[in-house]
Amino acid sequence: MTKIAASELILNPDGSIYHLNLKPEHLATNIIFVGDQNRVPIVTKHFDSIEFDIQKREFRTITGTYKGKRITVISTGIGPDNIDIVINELDALVNIDLETSTIKKDFTQLNIVRIGTSGSLQSDIPVDSFVLAKYGLGLDGVIHSYDCEHILNAEFEDAFIKHTNWSPRKARPYIVENSKELEDRLVSDKVFLGCTATAVGFYGPQGRVLRLPIEDPSLNNKIDNFEFNGTKITNLEMETSAIYGLAKLLGHNACSMNAIIANRANGTFSPNPYKPVEELIIYTLDKLAL
């Protein structure tokens, strides 16, 4: 079997994967992503027990058990570029033999759930509610570095490009669907389904203006008003589409859950933004433990 070059599969001197500093035994197959490293212990304070805790750069990992289910919680930091690192390295931990640098014959599938905060773009999705992304709309371009056309929805993409008069100088927007298996585990009458848009940055890419003019000042309004076959863009953040795209390409399950702390359509903000986040954490843990 072909050996992967050391320049491609980079390991630390102790044999752990380069950025995450993890070894295969440190990882559960049920994984929760959070952005903020400080949110990892906020999730794992609910665990029955902790078996492993490590941090390298912005990537903090804690593995333990919750109601008998082994779960790993990882902070990814901000943005789709970090997601590219995290998902590729997690897949390597379970599907590549790190001692021989060869791909394992038996495939291990991961369940990945993102818990994030976001602002709603639609007036009927109130603050303090939960949104489960049925689709990820990628404005970031990361997935185009891979052979990806077979997982994308070109019709959906073309409709968005036409509606927004998308600049050809930007990366082509892409659409990836979530894992139906995870959606079925996480959905309930408490959860709104929709399409989560993923921006490549926080300021200009999300329409914020400080000192720099932006390419399309009306883009946010176009995004708010877009609809395809009954699906609207419900919220905007910076990770979901890359998670969906890379997970699907690698054969893993992924689903993104967001606590809505602001509603841009009606100008409201949660009176206590920590409350819906805490509620979403417990909700997600309980669903994964079933």
Side-chain angles (χ1 to χ4, degrees):
M1 186 172 290
T2 303
K3 185 175 181 178
I4 301 170
S7 60
E8 312 302 296
L9 177 63
I10 305 173
L11 303 178
N12 296 309
D14 66 353
S16 62
I17 199 77
Y18 184 60
H19 295 92
L20 300 184
N21 212 30
L22 298 176
K23 295 181 179 180
E25 61 266 26
H26 300 149
L27 189 67
T29 56
N30 290 290
I31 301 169
I32 291 175
F33 282 178
V34 295
D36 184 357
Q37 57 195 295
N38 294 319
R39 191 172 288 164
V40 175
I42 292 174
V43 177
T44 60
K45 71 181 181 182
H46 300 287
F47 280 14
D48 307 316
S49 62
I50 302 293
E51 65 179 76
F52 181 77
D53 185 347
I54 196 168
Q55 180 165 354
K56 184 180 179 183
R57 305 186 188 191
E58 61 267 59
F59 308 115
R60 184 171 183 186
T61 303
I62 297 178
T63 296
T65 58
Y66 177 80
K67 295 184 178 179
K69 180 77 73 172
R70 191 168 185 253
I71 297 174
T72 295
V73 184
I74 300 177
S75 61
T76 64
I78 298 174
D81 50 344
N82 275 10
I83 296 301
D84 182 66
I85 291 171
V86 173
I87 291 189
N88 273 292
E89 292 196 359
L90 292 179
D91 178 76
L93 286 169
V94 296
N95 289 311
I96 296 175
D97 185 322
L98 301 188
E99 293 185 0
T100 64
S101 296
T102 57
I103 297 173
K104 294 179 179 179
K105 292 181 180 180
D106 296 326
F107 172 72
T108 297
Q109 186 176 61
L110 302 173
N111 295 317
I112 300 168
V113 179
R114 166 171 158 76
I115 296 177
T117 57
S118 188
S120 169
L121 306 182
Q122 305 299 331
S123 60
D124 61 339
I125 301 178
V127 295
D128 298 339
S129 61
F130 305 157
V131 169
L132 187 159
K134 188 167 188 65
Y135 300 96
L137 166 62
L139 310 179
D140 54 276
V142 164
I143 206 68
H144 295 308
S145 295
Y146 301 91
D147 180 10
C148 64
E149 288 188 17
H150 59 289
I151 67 164
L152 304 180
N153 187 326
E155 187 180 3
F156 200 145
E157 295 166 359
D158 289 342
F160 178 80
I161 290 167
K162 181 178 180 180
H163 177 82
T164 58
N165 192 27
W166 191 257
S167 170
R169 296 177 67 88
K170 297 179 181 178
R172 176 183 168 88
Y174 63 91
I175 291 283
V176 188
E177 194 168 0
N178 68 11
S179 160
K180 187 64 167 60
E181 178 182 327
L182 272 183
E183 178 188 318
D184 289 344
R185 289 175 65 180
L186 293 165
V187 76
S188 73
D189 56 7
K190 296 181 179 180
V191 177
F192 290 86
L193 289 176
C195 178
T196 295
T198 297
V200 71
F202 184 76
Y203 288 97
Q206 294 190 37
R208 292 183 173 91
V209 178
L210 300 182
R211 290 204 316 115
L212 293 175
I214 56 178
E215 179 268 333
D216 184 358
S218 62
L219 179 60
N220 280 357
N221 185 60
K222 296 173 187 175
I223 291 174
D224 295 350
N225 295 322
F226 175 71
E227 185 173 346
F228 179 78
N229 291 345
T231 298
K232 294 181 179 181
I233 299 172
T234 47
N235 58 310
L236 179 64
E237 46 82 271
M238 294 179 60
E239 287 82 25
T240 292
S241 64
I243 294 171
Y244 282 13
L246 289 164
K248 196 167 288 285
L249 286 173
L250 288 164
H252 303 298
N253 295 318
C255 219
S256 179
M257 303 286 289
N258 277 271
I260 300 300
I261 62 172
N263 186 297
R264 194 172 72 191
N266 54 35
T268 55
F269 190 83
S270 174
N272 181 2
Y274 298 104
K275 184 173 181 287
V277 174
E278 178 69 10
E279 290 174 347
L280 180 58
I281 288 169
I282 295 171
Y283 176 90
T284 303
L285 286 171
D286 284 341
K287 292 292 186 179
L288 287 178
L290 293 176

